[in-house]
Amino acid sequence: MSTEQQKSPIALIVSALTALGGGCLGLLAVVLVTPIVIIFCGLGILLMPIVVLILLFGGGGGSHHDYDDMGDQAITAFQGDGKGALAPDSVPADLQDIIETAGGQCSQIGPIVIASQIEYASGFNSTMVGANGAKGISQLPPAIFDKYGKDDDDNDKTSATDNKDSIMAQARYMCALAEENQKRVDNKTATGSVLDLTLAAYYLGMDASSVGAGGVALTNDTQGYIAAIRAQFAKYGGIVDIPYGATPSVTDGESFDPRATIPPPPPPTSDSPSPTP
């Protein structure tokens, strides 16, 4: 590691915490002490979750990246649209092609967004059974999966526990929400980015997300979900190294769970996008 990298404050903090045996918990402490505050997409509050990107910087030492430049790129990715290419080997190998296909279903949603949502929803666990009867890797509520699910893997059944069926249903639902939100932005009945509006609708349901601020519900839970998804963009876009334990089935170890401090969403208020006002 170069002298310049050794002098990086972030690198020094990460190295020190790792040496003390902090592992991922130590890296999480970096989030709490690093003096980076981002105003998130003009939503009117300061969001510290952007700093969770520091978790991804080199896995606690041994990286040859320039931390300062990487930090700038990671922040740009956090604020971006998630439409870039999915980094090779950033997701389990058997899901790479499926997620790339799902991310090409519409122009508003890319594979980086799909991968980030899957990590948040299930940690890439295809056998997960969640709240409200949600099953499978994408954890769609049953009513949503029934509407958007198809036999995408051609095994003569449509099942939420089939990875391709689940992920493609997720993509179709996200695209339906994105199309509706694009119309709302175009006709000026909503403000903000189409991606943020779509993520809010995905988390709460279109009707609930339409309350307040012309679009995104100004609640800590909703903004926390959006921030947690965006915080993964640098990893799945290949901007930063994937550290030990960062992504289940890709790196070994226990993964950091961005959902730990964010309550699960309430049942969707609608199983389809609302009519355009």
Side-chain angles (χ1 to χ4, degrees):
M1 183 178 291
S2 69
T3 301
E4 179 181 355
Q5 289 171 331
Q6 289 177 334
K7 291 181 179 179
S8 167
I10 292 174
L12 288 172
I13 293 170
V14 171
S15 297
L17 290 170
T18 304
L20 290 172
C24 285
L25 291 177
L27 291 175
L28 181 57
V30 177
V31 177
L32 302 178
V33 301
T34 303
I36 301 175
V37 179
I38 298 298
I39 297 177
F40 178 57
C41 299
L43 293 179
I45 67 171
L46 300 179
L47 289 183
M48 283 301 290
I50 174 61
V51 198
V52 81
L53 292 166
I54 303 304
L55 288 165
L56 310 177
F57 291 177
S63 172
H64 299 289
H65 289 287
D66 182 324
Y67 281 85
D68 294 330
D69 180 61
M70 189 184 300
D72 290 341
Q73 293 181 56
I75 290 171
T76 298
F78 178 93
Q79 297 172 319
D81 57 18
K83 295 179 184 177
L86 185 66
D89 302 321
S90 62
V91 299
D94 61 325
L95 300 178
Q96 183 92 25
D97 290 344
I98 299 172
I99 293 174
E100 287 176 348
T101 299
Q105 292 300 294
C106 60
S107 61
Q108 296 94 340
I109 305 298
I112 291 173
V113 176
I114 298 295
S116 299
Q117 288 184 296
I118 293 172
E119 176 170 335
Y120 177 93
S122 70
F124 296 93
N125 179 4
S126 61
T127 64
M128 181 173 176
V129 178
N132 304 317
K135 295 180 181 179
I137 197 167
S138 296
Q139 287 292 288
L140 291 174
I144 300 296
F145 182 79
D146 288 346
K147 180 169 184 175
Y148 293 96
K150 297 181 180 179
D151 180 21
D152 288 287
D153 57 5
D154 296 323
N155 67 348
D156 296 325
K157 66 177 181 177
T158 300
S159 173
T161 57
D162 290 344
N163 285 340
K164 191 169 186 179
D165 293 359
S166 185
I167 293 171
M168 292 303 294
Q170 171 194 348
R172 292 186 193 101
Y173 182 43
M174 281 290 288
C175 286
L177 294 171
E179 181 180 0
E180 180 62 28
N181 280 305
Q182 184 69 65
K183 293 176 183 177
R184 297 172 66 208
V185 170
D186 291 345
N187 65 25
K188 304 188 186 307
T189 59
T191 58
S193 78
V194 171
L195 177 58
D196 291 341
L197 292 166
T198 300
L199 289 172
Y202 188 88
Y203 184 73
L204 289 177
M206 178 64 84
D207 292 343
S209 72
S210 299
V211 177
V216 175
L218 292 179
T219 67
N220 290 337
D221 293 351
T222 303
Q223 294 186 52
Y225 174 74
I226 295 171
I229 299 305
R230 285 183 169 277
Q232 303 300 323
F233 286 2
K235 179 172 70 176
Y236 290 114
I239 294 171
V240 297
D241 293 336
I242 302 177
Y244 178 89
T247 302
S249 301
V250 176
T251 56
D252 294 330
E254 183 178 355
S255 100
F256 171 73
D257 187 353
R259 299 167 294 174
T261 59
I262 305 174
T269 57
S270 173
D271 63 358
S272 63
S274 302
T276 303

